Amino acid sequence: MMTAVWIVVCSLVGVLIGTIIAKKYGAQGGAVSPLQTVATEAPTPVVDAQLLSAFDFLPIGVVISRTGSNNLLRNKIAREITGVRHVDVLVDEAVEVLVKETLAAGEQSKSFQVAGPPVRYFNLHSQKLDDVGVVVTIEDTTDRVRIDTVRTDFVANLSHELKTPIGGIAALGDTMMDETDPLVIRQLAERIVRESFRMAGIVDDLLDLSRIEFGSSSEWGRVNISNVVREVVALLKDNAHRRNVELLISGQSDAEVLGDRSQLVSAFSNLVENAIKYSEPNHSVKIVETAAQDFVSVAVVDQGLGIAPKDHERIFERFYRVDRARSRSTGGTGLGLSIVKHVVDNHGGKIEVHSHEGEGATFTVVLPRPKEMTHEPAN
Amino acid sequence: MDELRKTFHQELDHIRDQVIRLGASVIEAVPRATSVLLSGDLEGADYLVQSDDEIDARAVEIEDQCFRHLALQAPVAGDLRQLVSIIKITGELERSADLAVNICKGARRIYGHDIDPVLRGLITKMSEQAQQLFISATDAFETSDAAKAAAIDDMDSFLDGLHRQFIQEIFECHARGKMDVQVAVQLAIIGRFYERIGDHAVNVGERTQFILTGFVPEHRGAARFKARHANDSQSSTDLTA
């Protein structure tokens, strides 16, 4: 499908470019091309201007080059991609190299990556127009590559999360069949139960996520965020105590939002549970609430391992693990932050993460306060 | 004659473009090297080591062009400052790319060893800062912005601070028994590479200042040295008199 679109776009680009070049430079030797035929029909400057504007509507960057002159024409996307900044300079350079290769050897394609940050991916495609002219199309494929990566990682991570407990249960059952020592059998049975609970947890979370994703909730109403935070702290107090982590609350405002209480409790529980899980003993986890006229924000601040900036975008994906090797020791289903993200989206809010490795992490959930719920004076 | 100068200036612009492109390659090399280091990407390390040859070749080409113009065009004033400075800037850029390669080589030496999260965080920050310094330096060169070029030295102080923090953390990590001596030493050396990349960016900024104003901060130091030397000579003359 994409290939067909690509061919159509390239053909259109070829015709448009040819018209402009033929008009500007006149026919130059070689076989008579359809472009030259168009040119002999004396296109008006108005048509030229329209063609040039039409270029700007193309969803890809187009650069036309002619030997002996600088790049003749760039459409809007190409002007935005190639320019002055260092990434643009690298793209510009790649275009120049491709033009030379195309003049020497005909049609060329090239994919390349720029480290950024953020990392960006480009596909370049070039075709010869005549002996001296080349058209290069530039496609920023960053989003496509990101979606592909998310999809393939999702399949890999899902199979890892589900296959590991299943494989474990099978191996434990197999060992049990040949075992005669009742003590060992008991130990193996306990581990089978543990792995089963782990799988049940994943399935429960998947069902939760699916429910939240569709936004279906029958419990929509006024929710006091401070009460939600207090409930979450009460729920996780024992967990924190076992790990010798202190839970601190500040800025309780009793601000209200419109939403589903159980979804919000689930979201904040996930955030606080993660913060406890990744904190070293004798450290604290802070839950800081801030209320403004239009929004209320809740920040969960920990002093744990932290998250590298490159992972910030991806941690909300289902089953994404920053360090897959550590996923077994830290537990969890790999769906927690995904649930948080969907709950926040359902409530029309946003979630931000500030973290560097080794410096802890701050997850801030910002939820809107409907106007009729704010008690501040109108002016 | 005017036509000759016009061609010369066009060629000078072309050389400037090549320097900007070389700068872009260095800006690109720094995060790539960091990614190699933090993810243990040996294939990425090989790629970066090999691509350094291309950077070297481009640097040599730029220098050759500068030498040719110095010899054939007898440039004066701004043009002369530009050509001489570009020769120096090219050296700084080429050396910075070498340092990025050195980071990759260091990454190979500690392959398979875990790096403490705090150190990983500091490496990321040093890399971001070193890259930012080069972005500012090449921007200042490209846009002929003397004020921006002068600010790079101050920006480098932040990188120096991160480097000190990094070294301190290596000591602490090693003292906690979390890291082998070999890894600690390699990481300390790698930290130094980032710090040096920052210094090279500062030098690019100073050379850009020189192109635009005819002044480099070293002039002050050189003037102080000359003054001291003159005073010393005067004192010795007085003593012998």
Side-chain angles (χ1 to χ4, degrees), chain A residues 120-184:
Chain A
R120 286 174 71 182
Y121 299 85
F122 296 96
N123 272 353
L124 304 183
H125 187 82
S126 63
Q127 270 183 334
K128 227 170 163 178
L129 294 168
D130 51 33
D131 288 344
V132 288
V134 172
V135 56
V136 182
T137 54
I138 310 164
E139 195 185 5
D140 187 342
T141 55
T142 310
D143 285 340
R144 204 193 307 161
V145 171
R146 188 178 54 79
I147 291 165
D148 280 351
T149 313
V150 168
R151 202 184 57 212
T152 49
D153 282 1
F154 171 71
V155 175
N157 292 337
L158 178 67
S159 64
H160 172 79
E161 294 293 342
L162 290 179
K163 270 180 80 176
T164 310
I166 290 172
I169 289 168
L172 289 164
D174 197 34
T175 317
M176 251 171 105
M177 283 198 296
D178 298 330
E179 191 55 60
T180 50
D181 185 344
L183 191 68
V184 176

Side-chain angles (χ1 to χ4, degrees), chain A residues 3-17:
Chain A
T3 317
V5 172
W6 180 255
I7 291 166
V8 170
V9 168
C10 283
S11 315
L12 276 173
V13 167
V15 172
L16 291 169
I17 293 161

Side-chain angles (χ1 to χ4, degrees), chain B residues 87-230:
Chain B
I87 292 170
K88 288 208 166 201
I89 287 172
T90 306
E92 305 288 352
L93 294 173
E94 188 272 326
R95 186 71 200 117
S96 302
D98 287 347
L99 290 168
V101 167
N102 288 352
I103 292 170
C104 292
K105 288 178 179 170
R108 278 179 183 165
R109 288 185 200 110
I110 58 170
Y111 179 74
H113 292 272
D114 281 341
I115 304 174
D116 185 82
V118 176
L119 293 174
R120 292 174 69 90
L122 284 168
I123 289 169
T124 308
K125 279 186 178 177
M126 285 195 294
S127 168
E128 284 170 0
Q129 188 61 16
Q131 191 195 19
Q132 193 51 52
L133 284 168
F134 258 106
I135 289 173
S136 300
T138 46
D139 274 0
F141 176 79
E142 188 178 0
T143 56
S144 299
D145 186 339
K148 194 173 206 174
I152 295 166
D153 195 14
D154 292 334
M155 287 167 68
D156 186 44
S157 310
F158 182 61
L159 179 58
D160 292 344
L162 285 172
H163 177 240
R164 277 193 294 276
Q165 205 181 330
F166 183 67
I167 297 296
Q168 185 61 35
E169 195 57 44
I170 288 174
F171 283 136
E172 286 175 17
C173 247
H174 179 58
R176 287 197 298 268
K178 277 185 162 180
M179 200 165 33
D180 293 346
V181 179
Q182 195 196 350
V183 178
V185 170
Q186 283 301 333
L187 283 176
I189 293 170
I190 286 168
R192 180 80 177 144
F193 294 149
Y194 283 110
E195 194 267 335
R196 288 299 301 152
I197 289 173
D199 290 345
H200 288 296
V202 172
N203 290 347
V204 172
E206 286 179 354
R207 284 294 138 193
T208 302
Q209 270 181 280
F210 178 69
I211 294 172
L212 300 167
T213 64
F215 171 80
V216 275
E218 276 92 353
H219 285 175
R220 285 202 195 97
R224 281 196 297 273
F225 174 76
K226 274 183 188 166
R228 273 202 301 273
H229 188 67

Side-chain angles (χ1 to χ4, degrees), chain A residues 85-263:
Chain A
R85 300 286 164 222
H86 89 275
V87 171
D88 317 335
V89 170
L90 293 169
V91 176
D92 218 11
E93 196 173 10
V95 168
E96 203 170 285
V97 171
L98 206 67
V99 166
K100 281 181 191 158
E101 287 173 1
T102 310
L103 282 170
E107 191 176 345
Q108 299 283 323
S109 284
K110 188 179 188 177
S111 298
F112 76 104
Q113 172 193 343
V114 181
V119 179
R120 286 174 71 182
Y121 299 85
F122 296 96
N123 272 353
L124 304 183
H125 187 82
S126 63
Q127 270 183 334
K128 227 170 163 178
L129 294 168
D130 51 33
D131 288 344
V132 288
V134 172
V135 56
V136 182
T137 54
I138 310 164
E139 195 185 5
D140 187 342
T141 55
T142 310
D143 285 340
R144 204 193 307 161
V145 171
R146 188 178 54 79
I147 291 165
D148 280 351
T149 313
V150 168
R151 202 184 57 212
T152 49
D153 282 1
F154 171 71
V155 175
N157 292 337
L158 178 67
S159 64
H160 172 79
E161 294 293 342
L162 290 179
K163 270 180 80 176
T164 310
I166 290 172
I169 289 168
L172 289 164
D174 197 34
T175 317
M176 251 171 105
M177 283 198 296
D178 298 330
E179 191 55 60
T180 50
D181 185 344
L183 191 68
V184 176
I185 289 175
R186 185 175 171 76
Q187 280 173 349
L188 292 171
E190 277 171 7
R191 286 189 59 191
I192 286 177
V193 171
R194 208 158 54 228
E195 292 297 339
S196 307
F197 276 131
R198 186 175 149 79
M199 278 200 70
I202 293 173
V203 173
D204 282 348
D205 273 3
L206 269 174
L207 290 172
D208 271 356
L209 187 59
S210 162
R211 188 169 46 80
I212 293 163
E213 213 173 1
F214 284 108
S216 57
S217 170
S218 54
E219 298 167 22
W220 211 256
R222 285 166 175 257
V223 183
N224 181 320
I225 284 294
S226 303
N227 283 346
V228 170
V229 170
R230 278 191 279 265
E231 185 176 334
V232 167
V233 170
L235 275 171
L236 297 169
K237 210 171 164 182
D238 290 342
N239 187 357
H241 186 69
R242 273 198 301 277
R243 291 173 179 266
N244 213 4
V245 173
E246 194 181 6
L247 286 182
L248 302 169
I249 308 179
S250 67
Q252 294 270 283
S253 64
D254 286 320
E256 287 185 331
V257 296
L258 261 184
D260 181 328
R261 192 167 186 283
S262 63
Q263 280 191 16

